[in-house]
Amino acid sequence: EISLGLVGSEMCIRDSGKINQELDLGYANITDAKKTIVFINVFGLRQVVKHLYAGLGYTYRKTEFEGNDEQSTEELTEKGLIGGEGNHGIRYYVTYDKRDNVNFPYKGYYAALRTEQYFANGDATAYVANFVDWRHFIGVSKVEGQRTIAYRFLARFLGGDPQPQNFSYYGRTGADIERGYQTGAYIDKNLLNVEAEYRVQTRWLKNKLGFAGIAGIGKVFGYYNDFNEAEWLPMVGAGVRYRILPYERINLRFDATYGKDGAVFYFGIRESF
């Protein structure tokens, strides 16, 4: 499997009348700033034995913040969030996949360990990012796929000397989304997240309409706040699914979630996990 990704500018902080959310670093807020992320990932996986895959990849990541006024620029500079360098490195993958379908599983589980070794100036390790991803899908109805309980545990731990630009941004961790919070509202070195869904497929609209109840909780910690001091970030929500490709089980997805900071909505193709 080969994958390429590139993400550009994203508004993550807002003021009154704009896309409005504060950047919360545990001890202070920055109320008017813009974040830009650029990343490129290339990787390949090869089957070792049945269900077990291993692989290598290359990654580049750069995150920059820009203040929209003089005060925000000063605050970003004080916290080391301006002037960051792009880092590149190597990705190491190990995955074990027993899902019956990668797009919308009715049963099975998926486990992945990933290490990203980033370099600075080409000659020294800048930092290491370790990921743990566990997903479990349990059918709870007599008719396959009619009702499913799905949950995911996601963790990201940083080692070495990462810049604040490379910390964990709750709301999105690479391609993974922690729903209920706008990306960048909560930032720290490490991240934990658990999400669960109760998925229901109906016979409505020729068996294409489905619904989901959603709940989750997580936190970021390790630099601005230790684990006990960092606040938990719960969310609840509900979603609607419309199956556009039945054989591949690919859905259009709309989720409405509510966390500590208010409501956040999501629309896309395929599932959050």
Side-chain angles (χ1 to χ4, degrees), residues 117-132:
Q117 183 180 6
Y118 287 91
F119 302 97
N121 302 320
D123 58 0
T125 298
Y127 71 98
V128 175
N130 296 296
F131 293 81
V132 178

Side-chain angles (χ1 to χ4, degrees), residues 7 27 46-47 56 78 104 117 156 170 215 233 244 264:
V7 170
Y27 57 88
R46 182 177 180 84
Q47 189 175 28
L56 291 172
E78 290 175 0
F104 194 90
Q117 183 180 6
R156 181 177 190 251
Y170 201 87
L233 304 172
I244 55 175
V264 183

Side-chain angles (χ1 to χ4, degrees), residues 24-26 130-132 152-158 167-173 177-182 184-195 215-235 260-261:
D24 186 341
L25 298 181
N130 296 296
F131 293 81
V132 178
R152 180 193 67 182
F153 170 79
L154 180 69
R156 181 177 190 251
F157 299 101
L158 298 186
F167 282 5
S168 299
Y169 296 81
Y170 201 87
R172 179 180 289 275
T173 308
I177 298 174
E178 300 81 47
R179 286 172 291 181
Y181 294 87
Q182 191 172 336
Y186 299 89
I187 301 173
D188 211 314
K189 192 172 183 180
N190 306 311
L191 178 146
L192 293 176
N193 173 253
V194 179
E195 288 190 15
I217 193 168
K219 65 166 60 180
V220 286
F221 62 95
Y223 185 82
Y224 300 115
N225 295 287
D226 65 24
F227 182 85
N228 293 327
E229 293 175 339
E231 62 179 304
W232 288 103
L233 304 172
M235 72 87 181
K260 282 187 174 182
D261 300 328

